[in-house]
Amino acid sequence: MNMTPREIVAELDKYIIGQDEAKKAVAVALRNRYRRSLLSESDREEITPKNIIMKGPTGVGKTEIARRLAKLVKAPFLKVEATKYTEVGYVGRDVESMIRDLVEVSIRLVKEETFKEVSEKATAAAVEKIVNILYKKKDEIPEGIAKEQLRSEILSHNLDGVQVEIEVVDAPKSMEIVPGSGAEINIGSIFGDMFPKKTKKRKVTIKEALAILTNEEADRLIDMDAVQAEALRRAENEGIIFIDEIDKIAGKGGGSGPDVSREGVQRDILPIVEGCSVTTKYGNVRTDFILFFGSGAFQVAKVQDLIPELQGRFPVMVELDSLTKEDFVRILTEPQNAITGQYSKLLGVDNVKLEFTEDGIREIAEIAYDLNVTAEDIGARRLQGVMELLLEDVSYDVGEEKTVVIDKQFVDDNLAKETKNFNIKKYIL
């Protein structure tokens, strides 16, 4: 994707308010990937991603920036919680599981793209199968209807509710050889090429049959070896891993107790970020060129509390700002996925039209901001709770077409109890 850093930031601006420094840093990191892709193979091997630590309170856009960035370039993206590796009695997957999970994301991504390429041919084959099934049972179709007309009726979804009996592949389940290893064995596939695949009969609607058979036909048309090879390449060269709550594993020093556990997790993560080879069921994956984001509030621990080796692997550190009242106003109105627009669309399904006035928006923003100050600061997530409470009665009392004006008076009337609570909290020490 050939976008300049300014163009990348402009795209992020459509969904995320403020945080210009963080947007600039990730835009440069993404552009450097593009620059690296144009170099010779020998030069590419020498250039590794400049991993980024995002420091800032919850709900200010850290995850959203990374997620939108990955979506922008259609890159495999995975978010993991660093704290899961410190859980008491944790016996699940080790830290290498994040790479295996990233590969699974990449496989799905490439398979979806490939499916779109073969979907027309797969759909045509599926329709033909359904037509043949219907023609074997003439009582299920109108008399004298031609096959071509029947195909047209199926594709037009005029026969979606008609029941048909189809044969589907009865795929055996895979078993993990060693829990947490990522290595799986499919008993049924060991001799799969020697014997016909097992099938079973299912009675479904034509709508369901079309989806099931289209997927089966697509699986036959898709070259999974090519999909896996491309997915591994993308995971290695374009993958993005977002390690959240990395501040919760910050801790140094000798002795025993939780600090040792946290430092141990850091040392386990270190080779993944430094660059190593991880075994997956699709093949080995190098982690040298995966872009890592570390994220945390760092309110108790500091970035400097991470072990020096890990700090060195995150050379770029950006600090995200807490949200102001003005930020809340902008979040409610400017992004393409603004929460006010989301509720307007949802309630529009029940013929309820929402009209937000400027003073109404400002009152919502002020209440959300004040709740963050007097209670727990959860950033923009506070708006979700405020809006849900504000529109609770409107969402409940539906059934007739109406217009609801969300002005300052409406907000005050419907959030009176909430505003009273935070006004009292101002005087409680």
Side-chain angles (χ1 to χ4, degrees), residues 60-113:
V60 296
K62 300 188 296 293
T63 307
E64 188 67 4
I65 287 172
R67 189 174 68 84
R68 287 287 172 186
L69 189 75
K71 197 171 182 180
L72 193 60
V73 294
K74 299 179 180 176
F77 173 79
L78 179 74
K79 178 187 174 184
V80 295
E81 309 289 334
T83 48
K84 81 172 186 176
Y85 303 116
T86 62
E87 291 172 6
V88 176
Y90 183 81
V91 292
R93 299 167 297 174
D94 56 16
V95 293
E96 289 186 350
S97 65
M98 70 174 74
I99 304 302
R100 298 189 186 104
D101 291 343
L102 180 71
V103 171
E104 292 291 348
V105 171
S106 191
I107 291 283
R108 285 197 299 272
L109 190 66
V110 177
K111 193 173 179 182
E112 283 170 10
E113 289 176 8

Side-chain angles (χ1 to χ4, degrees), residues 144-306:
I145 189 169
K147 280 194 173 185
E148 191 55 47
Q149 188 180 346
L150 197 54
R151 292 187 194 99
S152 177
E153 290 289 304
I154 292 169
L155 288 170
S156 300
H157 300 286
N158 295 331
L159 302 176
D160 278 358
V162 176
Q163 293 272 325
V164 289
E165 191 173 68
I166 60 172
E167 279 196 359
V168 296
V169 176
D170 188 11
K173 292 183 179 178
S174 298
M175 289 172 42
E176 204 166 24
I177 301 170
V178 179
S181 67
E184 293 181 347
I185 184 169
N186 190 324
I187 302 296
S189 68
I190 294 176
F191 304 106
D193 294 332
M194 297 171 61
F195 302 104
K197 287 187 177 177
K198 221 176 146 186
T199 61
K200 61 182 179 182
K201 289 187 177 180
R202 285 183 61 188
K203 194 156 190 177
V204 295
T205 63
I206 284 182
K207 182 179 180 179
E208 293 170 320
L210 187 59
I212 293 166
L213 295 175
T214 298
N215 282 329
E216 279 193 6
E217 291 299 324
D219 284 340
R220 290 191 184 96
L221 293 168
I222 291 172
D223 181 352
M224 279 308 296
D225 288 337
V227 167
Q228 290 173 16
E230 172 61 13
L232 287 178
R233 186 200 68 77
R234 285 200 203 178
E236 285 186 335
N237 294 284
E238 300 171 18
I240 297 174
I241 294 182
F242 188 90
I243 306 175
D244 201 9
E245 297 186 340
I246 200 169
D247 55 322
K248 301 293 197 306
I249 60 166
K252 299 185 296 183
S256 58
D259 280 352
V260 173
S261 172
R262 289 195 290 265
E263 186 173 333
V265 173
Q266 292 181 63
R267 295 202 177 277
D268 285 344
I269 290 175
L270 183 60
I272 304 290
V273 180
E274 279 183 326
C276 65
S277 182
V278 175
T279 302
T280 76
K281 64 182 180 181
Y282 304 105
N284 290 339
V285 174
R286 288 178 61 193
T287 68
D288 305 65
F289 308 110
I290 293 172
L291 179 61
F292 290 90
F293 287 90
S295 168
F298 290 99
Q299 291 173 327
V300 178
K302 300 182 181 67
V303 175
Q304 292 76 17
D305 291 332
L306 294 168

Side-chain angles (χ1 to χ4, degrees), residues 309-358:
E309 299 93 327
L310 194 59
Q311 287 182 54
R313 290 295 166 177
F314 288 88
V316 181
M317 202 270 281
V318 291
E319 192 159 352
L320 284 83
D321 303 317
S322 293
L323 298 172
T324 64
K325 289 180 187 177
E326 199 55 41
D327 288 332
F328 277 122
V329 171
R330 294 181 62 200
I331 288 167
L332 285 166
T333 55
E334 292 183 18
Q336 286 190 1
N337 61 337
I339 190 171
T340 49
Q342 292 176 29
Y343 276 96
S344 294
K345 289 174 184 175
L346 278 173
L347 288 166
V349 173
D350 285 318
N351 297 314
V352 177
K353 184 180 179 183
L354 299 181
E355 291 183 358
F356 291 88
T357 66
E358 187 178 342

Side-chain angles (χ1 to χ4, degrees), residues 139 148 364:
D139 56 322
E148 191 55 47
I364 295 168

